[in-house]
Amino acid sequence: MATIAMRFILAFAFLASTPSLARAEKFLVHAGKENKVTFISKASMESFEGKTNKLEGTIDVNPANLGDSIAVHFEVDLASLDTGLPMRNKHMRENHLETAKYPKAIFEGAAVRGPEAAALEPAKPKMFDVEGTFTLHGVSRRLRINISAAYTPQPKGDRISFQTAFPVLLADYQISRPQFLFLKLAESQEVRVSGVAVAAP
């Protein structure tokens, strides 16, 4: 019995000391010019964009061994979205996104579905198939998206840059199409996200 226990301890010590299975590192995303969220509405009568740099969150990951899951939590301040027209901003925030009640859009999870043996290598951008939970307007849905990510080791803090784009159907999140923009607001919005996460001190 003691021999079995000793083997278990030795195996655990070996796995803990193996670089590819090292403990996950925490990366932080702070609101600022490097981070941007854009939604794009393309309708038959009018197209416009809403933008914000109020993206914040964390990524807990071992770049050398993503495995099948990582810990991600991103939040976007929806009240900061700017469409370029003050009146349109007011209607979108108050009457449709209802930002006083649902102030943030949240993506968290997540599971890496591909490629196999997923890893981030220095100076080699890669595409990843990722699944997580997206919450908008009080509705949470599983979302599967493609993310391009690049890992850059730096003396002042390793960095992970990322980009993704995915469609959001207003009906899926119980967001009504604005009456005053009838046929001007598309039923499906394209959401684009780009940002940089920096290793925590």
Side-chain angles (χ1 to χ4, degrees):
M1 193 71 179
T3 302
I4 295 176
M6 183 59 69
R7 288 177 179 174
F8 176 81
I9 292 172
L10 290 173
F12 179 81
F14 171 77
L15 291 173
S17 64
T18 303
S20 63
L21 297 177
R23 190 173 295 176
E25 186 176 0
K26 182 179 289 292
F27 293 81
L28 306 178
V29 178
H30 296 294
K33 62 182 181 180
E34 286 188 305
N35 303 307
K36 184 166 64 175
V37 177
T38 304
F39 80 83
I40 302 170
S41 175
K42 295 182 178 180
S44 57
M45 295 180 65
E46 183 180 25
S47 296
F48 65 91
E49 297 182 357
K51 300 178 180 180
T52 179
N53 62 3
K54 302 296 185 180
L55 170 66
E56 298 182 306
T58 59
I59 304 173
D60 289 277
V61 63
N62 174 9
N65 182 21
L66 273 64
D68 62 356
S69 64
I70 58 178
V72 172
H73 184 89
F74 288 157
E75 296 185 352
V76 180
D77 176 12
L78 295 176
S80 66
L81 280 170
D82 183 11
T83 67
L85 294 176
M87 184 57 68
R88 182 164 57 197
N89 290 345
K90 179 179 173 65
H91 279 283
M92 292 292 288
R93 294 169 186 169
E94 295 180 1
N95 302 327
H96 305 288
L97 292 176
E98 298 181 275
T99 56
K101 187 176 182 180
Y102 310 109
K104 296 180 178 179
I106 299 171
F107 181 82
E108 56 191 345
V112 180
R113 300 305 184 190
E116 293 185 10
L120 284 168
E121 301 175 52
K124 291 184 178 180
K126 284 189 176 181
M127 292 294 299
F128 297 94
D129 180 8
V130 175
E131 184 178 352
T133 300
F134 183 58
T135 301
L136 175 65
H137 198 241
V139 178
S140 297
R141 299 176 64 90
R142 293 296 287 176
L143 189 68
R144 193 161 178 171
I145 58 179
N146 290 319
I147 295 178
S148 172
Y151 173 57
T152 307
Q154 291 190 356
K156 293 184 179 181
D158 297 348
R159 297 160 63 91
I160 296 176
S161 58
F162 54 88
Q163 293 183 334
T164 187
F166 54 91
V168 170
L169 291 173
L170 299 184
D172 285 348
Y173 296 92
Q174 299 176 14
I175 299 174
S176 61
R177 292 181 68 191
Q179 294 291 329
F180 79 101
L181 287 176
F182 184 63
L183 293 181
K184 293 185 179 181
L185 182 64
E187 295 181 5
S188 177
Q189 311 291 304
E190 180 183 354
V191 177
R192 298 178 181 175
V193 182
S194 62
V196 176
V198 181

